Amino acid sequence: MADGPRLPGVEDDEDDEDPIILHVDADCFYAACERLREPELEDDPVVVGMGYEPGETNGAVATASYEAREFGVESAQAISTALERLPRRAALDPDAADHDPELVESETGHYRTVDLDYYESVANEVQEILHDCADVVREVSIDEAYLEVTDRTAWEVADGFARHVKDRIRREVGIVVSVGAAPTMSAAKIASDFDKPDGLTVVRPGELREFLAPLEVDLLHGVGPVTARELREMGLETAGDVAAADPEPLVERFGERGRELYDRARGDDDRRVEPKGDPKSFSRESAFAEPVSEPAPKYEQIETLAAAVADRARREGALYRTVGVKAVEPPFEVNTRERSLPGPIDEPELVERIARELFAEFEREPVRKVGVRVANLEFAAADQTSLDGWAGTPDTEAEPVDGTGADRDGDPNHGEGQSSLEDF
């Protein structure tokens, strides 16, 4: 059994052959991140994309909040179409280039430009929680991941464990996720989409076929509009229809994918959750109940977090070349600093010292969250640089980075050739 936390009262059952897999999917992730940065956007329509500014003619919607979707705005939609259905709230301003005096505020929405650096910083906070809740995590994209939690819980209390994951993310990060739990990856994915937003759906092994059978074929994992249309042309409207069909015509029509569709519709999916290669970094973060200005509690957390990431790197057999810190100022101004070292090391004391030095500029600033990170990892056996080897070595300059992906002078190409903090 894994060493991670396990719900009280859950007994070991090595004979249990049904894995417990969670699929965690952030709801309207980009829009949720923008609301973290601007809490006043809560409950209003929010559209994140490119090309919506006056004078722009090309662009597409990356994410539309559920409120924006009520006006017919959808992901991948042309911005011009989105603006027709939901004009910019900013156009209410008489000084705006696209001002329209006939607009009604309740029929407008907030438009924001995609800010991947910021979204990745939020995603890493979520991923840190996921790795703390599961022994195996597979990040599929910036806003979704699979978790293998068979050794952390049991089917009898899987709903409580899934809610624990949801609640931690909501409490510690401030965004909402939907979670599906099932014995297969494909069913877990379907389950997480089943009751969005803020959904929680648990499909136990004995319920799998019953859960899948009534679903429209569009909802089967891996089925897009074209495949759904072809399945309907074959008279197959639901997953139950596909499961009851002769698989041979499916194979003739779709090749090996036809067999996969048949298996998935029957709940057969023996794929296991596997990480995508070695991690790029290890980080730990901690939030304060209220913004803190006094240096002592902040440095205490920095030291604790530095020890934690150095310990994890050692347990994972990783050396690191970069140390970084994060300071989040109210309401959600993300500041990161990093220092690259001449060679790969395994030195917890050095991580703590560098983290304290990098954080020094924030010691008197109000801070709501702090973090420490080690990056540029090497997992191959190598000669480790000792702490003594740093004596007399001049420190490299810390590269200032903020949550927008530009440095404080506004140069979007800062740090070229330097280590990236995209995984912080």
Side-chain angles (χ1 to χ4, degrees):
M1 177 177 167
D3 296 330
R6 187 177 175 90
L7 286 181
V10 176
E11 302 297 332
D12 292 340
D13 186 0
E14 296 180 356
D15 296 327
D16 186 3
E17 297 180 353
D18 293 308
I20 305 174
I21 297 171
L22 304 186
H23 183 261
V24 179
D25 193 0
D27 298 331
C28 303
F29 180 61
Y30 291 179
C33 291
E34 293 296 339
R35 284 171 167 164
L36 272 182
R37 186 154 49 185
E38 300 179 69
E40 61 271 21
L41 300 183
E42 193 67 35
D43 299 325
D44 281 345
V46 177
V47 181
V48 181
M50 302 293 289
Y52 60 81
E53 301 87 349
E56 294 286 340
T57 57
N58 296 313
V61 175
T63 297
S65 70
Y66 284 96
E67 295 84 359
R69 294 179 190 184
E70 292 178 3
F71 289 86
V73 180
E74 302 173 354
S75 297
Q77 188 177 70
I79 280 288
S80 57
T81 301
L83 287 169
E84 289 176 1
R85 299 178 178 181
L86 182 69
R88 293 197 319 145
R89 180 73 53 89
L92 294 168
D93 185 348
D95 295 329
D98 56 344
H99 172 61
D100 184 347
E102 298 183 0
L103 289 179
V104 178
E105 181 176 304
S106 61
E107 298 177 355
T108 62
H110 303 277
Y111 282 73
R112 296 294 182 266
T113 302
V114 173
D115 184 354
L116 280 178
D117 286 343
Y118 173 59
Y119 305 153
E120 286 171 348
S121 74
V122 177
N124 269 277
E125 295 183 42
V126 175
Q127 291 166 6
E128 190 67 28
I129 293 172
L130 300 184
H131 281 275
D132 194 41
C133 291
D135 298 306
V136 183
V137 178
R138 180 179 179 84
E139 287 98 357
V140 179
S141 65
I142 193 172
D143 61 349
E144 64 175 310
Y146 291 95
L147 281 63
E148 165 69 70
V149 297
T150 311
D151 289 332
R152 298 292 188 98
T153 185
W155 278 112
E156 292 78 7
V157 289
D159 52 346
F161 190 91
R163 186 164 297 282
H164 165 71
V165 174
K166 281 172 57 68
D167 289 347
R168 277 198 62 183
I169 294 171
R170 187 197 301 267
R171 183 176 65 252
E172 299 178 27
V173 182
I175 68 168
V176 174
V177 300
S178 292
V179 178
T184 68
M185 290 179 66
S186 54
K189 167 68 173 174
I190 294 171
S192 70
D193 287 334
F194 191 71
D195 193 26
K196 277 181 166 287
D198 199 14
L200 172 57
T201 301
V202 177
V203 183
R204 292 175 173 81
E207 305 165 349
L208 192 53
R209 291 287 293 275
E210 182 181 357
F211 170 75
L212 294 171
L215 299 180
E216 297 289 324
V217 289
D218 312 67
L219 299 180
L220 280 174
H221 185 43
V223 174
V226 174
T227 302
R229 183 176 65 250
E230 294 184 45
L231 287 170
R232 290 193 171 98
E233 290 173 354
M234 298 173 68
L236 306 176
E237 298 284 344
T238 67
D241 294 338
V242 177
D246 181 349
E248 292 308 316
L250 289 169
V251 174
E252 291 175 8
R253 185 76 170 260
F254 302 104
E256 282 305 308
R257 199 161 70 89
R259 169 63 66 174
E260 182 178 281
L261 290 172
Y262 174 76
D263 290 339
R264 300 282 172 82
R266 297 170 60 85
D268 297 332
D269 180 3
D270 60 1
R271 293 175 302 156
R272 303 306 298 261
V273 179
E274 297 178 351
K276 285 187 174 181
D278 292 329
K280 298 178 182 178
S281 65
F282 297 126
S283 64
R284 291 295 297 271
E285 302 183 1
S286 179
F288 298 106
E290 299 290 340
V292 173
S293 297
E294 290 300 312
K298 291 183 287 190
Y299 278 121
E300 182 179 344
Q301 286 287 9
I302 288 292
E303 292 170 3
T304 300
L305 297 173
V309 294
D311 178 67
R312 182 177 177 190
R314 178 168 290 180
R315 285 187 286 109
E316 298 285 349
L319 307 180
Y320 36 87
R321 291 175 178 264
T322 300
V323 178
V325 299
K326 173 188 282 188
V328 181
E329 300 176 86
F332 206 91
E333 180 183 346
V334 180
N335 303 283
T336 55
R337 302 290 184 268
E338 67 173 347
R339 182 172 298 164
S340 294
L341 307 171
I345 63 166
D346 172 14
E347 291 290 352
E349 294 178 25
L350 186 60
V351 173
E352 178 183 326
R353 177 169 70 82
I354 293 176
R356 286 181 60 93
E357 292 172 358
L358 292 175
F359 189 77
E361 68 177 280
F362 304 103
E363 68 176 18
R364 293 290 178 182
E365 301 296 327
V367 171
R368 63 178 292 268
K369 180 180 290 187
V370 297
V372 177
R373 169 181 178 269
V374 294
N376 283 346
L377 305 181
E378 293 188 12
F379 289 86
D383 293 333
Q384 298 179 16
T385 305
S386 69
L387 188 61
D388 294 338
W390 295 98
T393 302
D395 291 333
T396 54
E397 188 69 23
E399 180 72 23
V401 185
D402 65 20
T404 66
D407 64 17
R408 293 201 168 183
D409 294 325
D411 176 11
N413 297 315
H414 75 279
E416 190 171 340
Q418 305 258 340
S419 302
S420 169
L421 278 174
E422 65 179 4
D423 293 305
F424 204 122

